[in-house]
Amino acid sequence: MSLVRVHNFSISLDGYGTGEGQSLDAPFGHAGGRLHSWFFGTRTFRRMQGEEGGSTGVDDAIARTWADGIGAEIMGRNKFGPQRGPWQDEDWRGWWGPNPPFHTPVFVLTHHPRPSVEMDGGTVFHFLDASPEEALRRAREAAGGLDVRIGGGPSSVRAFLAADLVDHLHVVVVPVLLGRGERLWDGLEGLEQRFRTEAVSSPSGVTHLTFTRP
Ligand SMILES: NC(=O)c1ccc[n+]([C@@H]2O[C@H](COP(=O)([O-])OP(=O)(O)OC[C@H]3O[C@@H](n4cnc5c(N)ncnc54)[C@H](OP(=O)(O)O)[C@@H]3O)[C@@H](O)[C@H]2O)c1
């Protein structure tokens, strides 16, 4: 059976995976770039942007596994865009430009489904109003035997963890205190008992935690 994986999911010390007040100009709300500054310098991130160079240390070594063996992604609607409620503008195609870094089918969970959108480079956005279990069934079908990544945001990752559907969770604990936003861990008391956990500290100041189903 293909695995369900979460990669490079950054949280603040107080457990927030995004800030408050998301908008077109602020995809992470008041968090700005603080949750991902460890990632921006890596070779992996630069390649995602079609750029050369970047660091090749611990952060990159761990981050670069995010795409290996992945055949589909599931994301929440608020990762896809800042809109809420019925779509006012179906021309919105995500934050990532004409060639998003996913290169697979991507299932966007939303209570407001709309027609699928085909992008350059193999990314196709499908919009799905479904339970985590049903969304995973659809994503597995599309992934052709490869693994499925849960791409975020925090409330979507939390829902898949609550339903015990995640096999590998990589969380990056970033030494900032956001104070408000959307928290990852709420309602998941005792989660660690389901996983084998490892931690690696990086010179950048972040700690990489992995939770792997034994
Ligand atoms: N920390 C990280 O590494 C990381 C990674 C990715 C994204 N992010 C950030 O996280 C934020 C988004 O996270 P979030 O927790 O606010 O939201 P999210 O998980 O991206 O999306 C939540 C929304 O998706 C829809 N949805 C979720 N489950 C559904 C289901 N089962 N059926 C139908 N619709 C469903 C609902 O929207 P509707 O009811 O409106 O349809 C819900 O309000 C963004 O700021 C993004 O930039 C952070």
Side-chain angles (χ1 to χ4, degrees), residues 27-202:
F28 294 88
H30 85 289
R34 285 182 287 168
L35 286 176
H36 294 92
S37 52
W38 68 272
F39 187 39
F40 296 145
T42 61
R43 174 173 288 196
T44 299
F45 181 79
R46 294 179 71 107
R47 286 203 172 152
M48 285 167 76
Q49 310 300 307
E51 294 166 11
E52 296 294 311
S55 66
T56 55
V58 175
D59 291 329
D60 184 65
I62 297 177
R64 71 177 174 227
T65 61
W66 79 289
D68 294 345
I70 294 288
E73 167 156 330
I74 298 171
M75 68 171 65
R77 186 209 191 167
N78 301 355
K79 173 173 172 179
F80 181 72
Q83 300 83 2
R84 304 291 188 269
W87 297 96
Q88 306 298 325
D89 172 12
E90 288 200 3
D91 289 340
W92 175 260
R93 295 172 157 231
W95 310 94
W96 303 276
N99 188 356
F102 310 109
H103 311 298
T104 66
V106 174
F107 293 86
V108 179
L109 289 172
T110 175
H111 295 101
H112 305 278
R114 49 179 261 203
S116 299
V117 180
E118 196 168 335
M119 308 295 289
D120 295 344
T123 299
V124 184
F125 292 115
H126 301 287
F127 300 87
L128 203 57
D129 183 358
S131 65
E133 288 82 358
E134 172 62 9
L136 180 57
R137 193 189 63 71
R138 291 282 301 275
R140 277 204 162 116
E141 240 171 49
L146 296 177
D147 292 348
V148 173
R149 185 176 51 237
I150 310 301
S155 56
S156 294
V157 173
R158 196 172 59 234
F160 280 81
L161 286 170
D164 198 17
L165 295 173
V166 175
D167 300 300
H168 175 87
L169 169 67
H170 166 221
V171 169
V172 187
V173 182
V174 182
V176 300
L177 286 160
L178 286 185
R180 57 206 159 92
E182 189 67 31
R183 286 169 46 82
L184 176 62
W185 301 123
D186 291 354
L188 296 176
E189 183 181 337
L191 174 90
E192 75 288 347
Q193 292 165 27
R194 292 192 238 143
F195 294 97
R196 191 177 62 235
T197 56
E198 289 184 1
V200 175
S201 305
S202 162

